[in-house]
Amino acid sequence: MPSQQPQQSQASRTPARRRQRSTRLVVAVALLVVGAALVAGALASASTVLTAVAAVVAVLAGAAATRITHSELAQARRDAARDRAVQAQEYRALTERRTSENAAFAADMRRRIAEREDAIGVLEQALSSAQKNAAEQGIKRAQESRRADAAERGRDLAEQGRDEAESRAAEAIVLVAELEAEIDVVRAELDSLRAAAARRDHRSA
């Protein structure tokens, strides 16, 4: 990954820098040791010239060691600043990548949420239609039930009326038969009266 490559290159440069620093520090320490040894040898020889030369060499060695140490410290500070800058760039790149990933994740979540909300809206609409249809079917069922009850009551009334009509018809038939019988009796009596009247008229003539 891009963030790992700078870290690997930085890690590969760090041992080389440490070797250079250790070499320079060894040289500085060696100069100080040589200067101290020369001064000690000159003092041991009790020679003024050797002591002066050793002092000059020791001063030069100390100055060189100080210069090496100072340059090493400055280089260490520059390297540290460079490393911090590289780390800052890596962290910034990592932050940007994480930010883009979070933005992509948030966009995907918003898309999924929108899809779920659309699906919920469709399901709610279908549920509302189903509830409306169920209510209409319930109303129709109640109406049909009332109609069936009314039809059953009407059928009962019709059957009752038919029974009453049949009973009245039977009574009317009986009454007609009785009247016909009475008419026959009256006609027979009328015929008898006419016959008696005819016989009486015939006798009187």
Side-chain angles (χ1 to χ4, degrees), residues 133-198:
N133 188 18
E136 292 177 353
Q137 294 299 325
I139 294 173
K140 290 182 180 179
R141 189 181 302 110
Q143 292 176 351
E144 293 296 332
S145 178
R146 288 194 296 270
R147 290 177 183 175
D149 294 339
E152 186 175 359
R153 288 194 299 270
R155 185 170 59 252
D156 294 338
L157 293 175
E159 290 178 356
Q160 183 179 359
R162 184 182 60 190
D163 293 338
E164 292 178 355
E166 289 178 354
S167 177
R168 287 193 296 270
E171 292 177 356
I173 291 171
V174 172
L175 180 60
V176 168
E178 291 177 353
L179 291 175
E180 288 179 350
E182 290 180 359
I183 290 172
D184 291 338
V185 171
V186 172
R187 284 179 179 177
E189 290 178 354
L190 180 61
D191 291 338
S192 297
L193 291 175
R194 286 178 178 175

Side-chain angles (χ1 to χ4, degrees), residues 43-104:
L43 291 175
S45 64
S47 174
T48 304
V49 177
L50 290 177
T51 301
V53 172
V56 172
V57 172
V59 170
L60 294 176
T66 302
R67 181 63 181 272
I68 291 172
T69 304
H70 181 270
S71 63
E72 185 62 26
L73 290 176
Q75 184 64 34
R77 291 176 181 176
R78 287 192 296 271
D79 293 339
R82 188 181 301 109
D83 292 338
R84 286 194 296 271
V86 172
Q87 289 179 356
Q89 291 178 357
E90 292 176 355
Y91 287 139
R92 183 167 57 253
L94 180 61
T95 302
E96 291 176 355
R97 186 173 66 254
R98 288 181 178 176
T99 302
S100 61
E101 291 176 354
N102 291 333

